Amino acid sequence: MKTVIFLICMMAVSITSQAQIAIPALSPRSNVRQEIGLANASINYGRPSLKGRKMLGFDSIPFGKVWRFGANMVTTLDLSDEMLIEGKPLAKGKYAMVAIPGAAEWTIIINRNGDQWGVYEYNETKDVLRFNVKAEKSGESVETVSFTFEDIKPTSASVVFRWENTKIKFSLVHESDAKVMAQIKEKTAKEKPSESTLMEAAEYYLLMNRDLEQALIWSTKVLEMTKSPFRYNLKAQIAEKSGKCGEAIEAAKGAIEYAEKNGDVAAVTVAKCIIKSCEGKK
């Protein structure tokens, strides 16, 4: 009889161990990604919710102690190339990103162990860098932990964390200019650079406000190869920024002529703005 009961119990244990029911996560994972310069940054984190609780600065997440910056598995930061994080260089790779919250200031820690559960295995000797950021009070309470990329520019962005009534942010910068300039130098030096090479080089010089005389030469060559509203407007924008409003207005009028034939309202709007800006400056 004892043997039968034992076998029944063992069968019950076996069935229980094999039965795995998929249920929704209480703190679901999220991944946010942003292209910055010529690289990508992504943050993977668990998203706990308040559910009527007070969290930051209380028993659950006390000030002055290392926190996983989310829920369950540690929050991670993954960079496809070296970036500056709050002005400090950080090599490409996957890192744990944890925090020490405070009432007025937080310490953000980048740690090599990006595969740990929470911070139970956190080891300070594996820290890559630390930096402090101001803790701001947000105007409204945020129910669920949120990371976003904001203040987006061609080579930089801000990482913004919000939860409860707290907001913190820090910068990420990809110093891609040297790489872009190396490409431009190599490709424009060819005997017959392609139209796309010259156009992209002119666009980049306009964006960076660099050697606009050279940018104007490239944009003129591109326009000679193929006429389009965009190419006319590119030349017009460079000429306007160079202070050559007569040349800018002429190119903008060309953009309007070609754009109106194709119903390109956006190009017409851009061209008219350039003309208006240049009126009386010729």
Side-chain angles (χ1 to χ4, degrees):
M1 183 64 179
K2 289 183 180 180
T3 303
V4 173
I5 294 174
F6 174 77
L7 290 173
I8 292 173
C9 289
M10 289 300 295
M11 289 175 63
V13 170
S14 177
I15 292 170
T16 302
S17 65
Q18 292 177 24
Q20 296 182 7
I21 302 173
I23 61 174
L26 296 177
S27 301
R29 299 297 291 184
S30 183
N31 190 75
V32 289
R33 175 183 172 277
Q34 180 61 48
E35 182 180 25
I36 302 173
L38 299 177
N40 293 297
S42 62
I43 298 171
N44 189 282
Y45 65 108
R47 304 192 65 188
S49 297
L50 295 175
K51 300 177 183 176
R53 300 172 294 177
K54 292 183 178 181
M55 302 296 284
L56 298 174
F58 292 86
D59 290 343
S60 296
I61 306 171
F63 288 154
K65 292 190 176 181
V66 177
W67 176 47
R68 71 187 79 188
F69 228 173
N72 302 325
M73 290 293 292
V74 72
T75 294
T76 60
L77 172 66
D78 200 332
L79 305 180
S80 67
D81 196 12
E82 179 181 295
M83 290 194 187
L84 296 178
I85 179 167
E86 279 296 292
K88 300 172 186 264
L90 181 61
K92 73 174 183 178
K94 177 183 174 183
Y95 301 93
M97 184 169 68
V98 299
I100 301 176
E105 187 176 71
W106 286 36
T107 298
I108 310 301
I109 303 169
I110 308 300
N111 184 275
R112 295 186 193 284
N113 186 3
D115 295 313
Q116 55 188 306
W117 178 271
V119 287
Y120 303 109
E121 298 176 4
Y122 168 70
N123 185 338
E124 188 174 338
T125 63
K126 294 186 178 181
D127 289 352
V128 178
L129 61 84
R130 290 184 172 210
F131 56 91
N132 296 328
V133 292
K134 180 183 175 183
E136 302 176 38
K137 294 297 180 184
S138 55
E140 58 182 0
S141 180
V142 175
E143 173 68 17
T144 304
V145 164
S146 170
F147 281 96
T148 55
F149 287 98
E150 301 178 15
D151 308 321
I152 307 298
K153 295 180 176 62
T155 59
S156 66
S158 294
V159 175
V160 181
F161 166 89
R162 292 183 177 89
W163 199 28
E164 215 160 1
N165 63 347
T166 297
K167 170 186 172 183
I168 65 167
K169 73 175 183 177
F170 55 87
S171 64
L172 278 175
V173 176
H174 186 239
E175 295 186 314
S176 54
D177 183 64
K179 293 181 179 181
V180 175
M181 290 302 294
Q183 293 180 65
I184 290 174
K185 183 178 180 180
E186 176 190 353
K187 293 184 178 181
T188 57
K190 292 181 179 180
E191 187 176 348
K192 291 184 179 180
S194 68
E195 291 183 44
S196 61
T197 289
L198 296 177
M199 186 164 63
E200 288 163 4
E203 283 184 90
Y204 188 71
Y205 273 38
L206 173 61
L207 174 68
M208 303 301 289
N209 196 26
R210 175 180 292 148
D211 197 350
L212 295 177
E213 290 293 332
Q214 180 60 68
L216 193 57
I217 292 170
W218 285 332
S219 65
T220 300
K221 285 184 179 179
V222 164
L223 196 52
E224 289 170 354
M225 294 174 177
T226 306
K227 291 178 171 55
S228 74
F230 175 82
R231 295 178 183 214
Y232 271 112
N233 275 335
L234 176 60
K235 180 177 179 178
Q237 288 172 304
I238 295 170
E240 179 196 6
K241 205 165 188 178
S242 302
K244 300 181 178 181
C245 272
E247 202 168 343
I249 289 173
E250 183 183 352
K253 287 179 177 178
I256 292 172
E257 180 183 348
Y258 272 81
E260 286 181 339
K261 291 178 183 178
N262 300 305
D264 190 341
V265 178
V268 171
T269 301
V270 171
K272 287 183 176 180
C273 285
I274 294 169
I275 292 171
K276 185 176 181 180
S277 175
C278 276
E279 284 177 348
K281 296 180 182 179
K282 294 186 288 184

